[in-house]
Amino acid sequence: MQTTPDATPPATCEPLGQAGPFGQTGPEETGPEETGPQAPLADPPEAAALVDAAAVQRTIGRALAHGSAPLRHGELVELEALLRDHIRLLLPIARARAAVLRPSTAQWLRYRARLDWITNQAGRELDGGLHSARQQVRSLAHDCRWLLRQTPEWNRKATP
């Protein structure tokens, strides 16, 4: 995440400067040499190129489907992993969009609150109970849909 001198760093639940499961949380961002599953994507346009919108939509559709046969726990675990991967790719794009909003405006505050909520929810482990796991996967799917709508392909105003 690149910030301008007048931009306020994002508010998160992790300590500043430490990488969480969905990217860097503070201004002391590490360089591109950082590797591993928790490495943030450095460049939002690069992240946008990695997003397969059709695959994201298929995953969201599966998670939100109201079929007669409810999903089993194994299927929920699979969907949760797919949704987390999609969220990991989409978050840098949405964060770049937040960086160009005027800080401390109502729009910026709502946008940052939504990003913080998504980061928090995506960082939680899947609940053990079948009903709560279903609800958690559905919530991740709604968050993923919102993030997808923040990309420039879906929203003309989303260009960072």
Side-chain angles (χ1 to χ4, degrees):
M1 178 181 82
Q2 296 178 351
T3 58
T4 57
D6 60 310
T8 306
T12 62
C13 297
E14 291 113 3
L16 282 178
Q18 295 184 6
F22 298 96
Q24 194 68 21
T25 61
E28 299 121 20
E29 197 166 324
T30 59
E33 69 277 351
E34 184 177 349
T35 59
Q38 296 184 354
L41 294 171
D43 189 19
E46 174 187 317
L50 296 174
V51 174
D52 180 359
V56 174
Q57 288 180 307
R58 281 192 302 274
T59 305
I60 292 169
R62 282 181 57 205
L64 298 177
H66 294 288
S68 58
L71 297 172
R72 292 175 295 216
H73 198 271
E75 294 170 314
L76 291 171
V77 169
E78 176 193 348
L79 279 173
E80 180 218 15
L82 288 170
L83 288 166
R84 284 179 193 247
D85 288 343
H86 295 318
I87 289 171
R88 187 171 286 116
L89 289 174
L90 292 166
L91 269 173
I93 300 165
R95 286 184 178 133
R97 183 172 180 210
V100 300
L101 295 175
R102 227 173 92 219
S104 301
T105 61
Q107 179 187 13
W108 181 84
L109 291 169
R110 281 192 305 271
Y111 202 85
R112 290 299 321 158
R114 183 72 189 255
L115 290 175
D116 290 344
W117 168 264
I118 292 170
T119 302
N120 183 312
Q121 293 303 309
R124 291 179 54 216
E125 290 186 28
L126 189 64
D127 292 337
L130 192 57
H131 179 72
S132 59
R134 280 187 199 131
Q135 294 295 9
Q136 193 173 351
V137 166
R138 289 180 60 77
S139 178
L140 286 173
H142 285 292
D143 291 340
C144 196
R145 178 187 288 163
W146 184 85
L147 286 170
L148 184 62
R149 290 179 178 162
Q150 306 313 304
T151 61
E153 292 81 24
W154 282 78
N155 184 340
R156 274 189 305 123
K157 295 185 235 175
T159 53

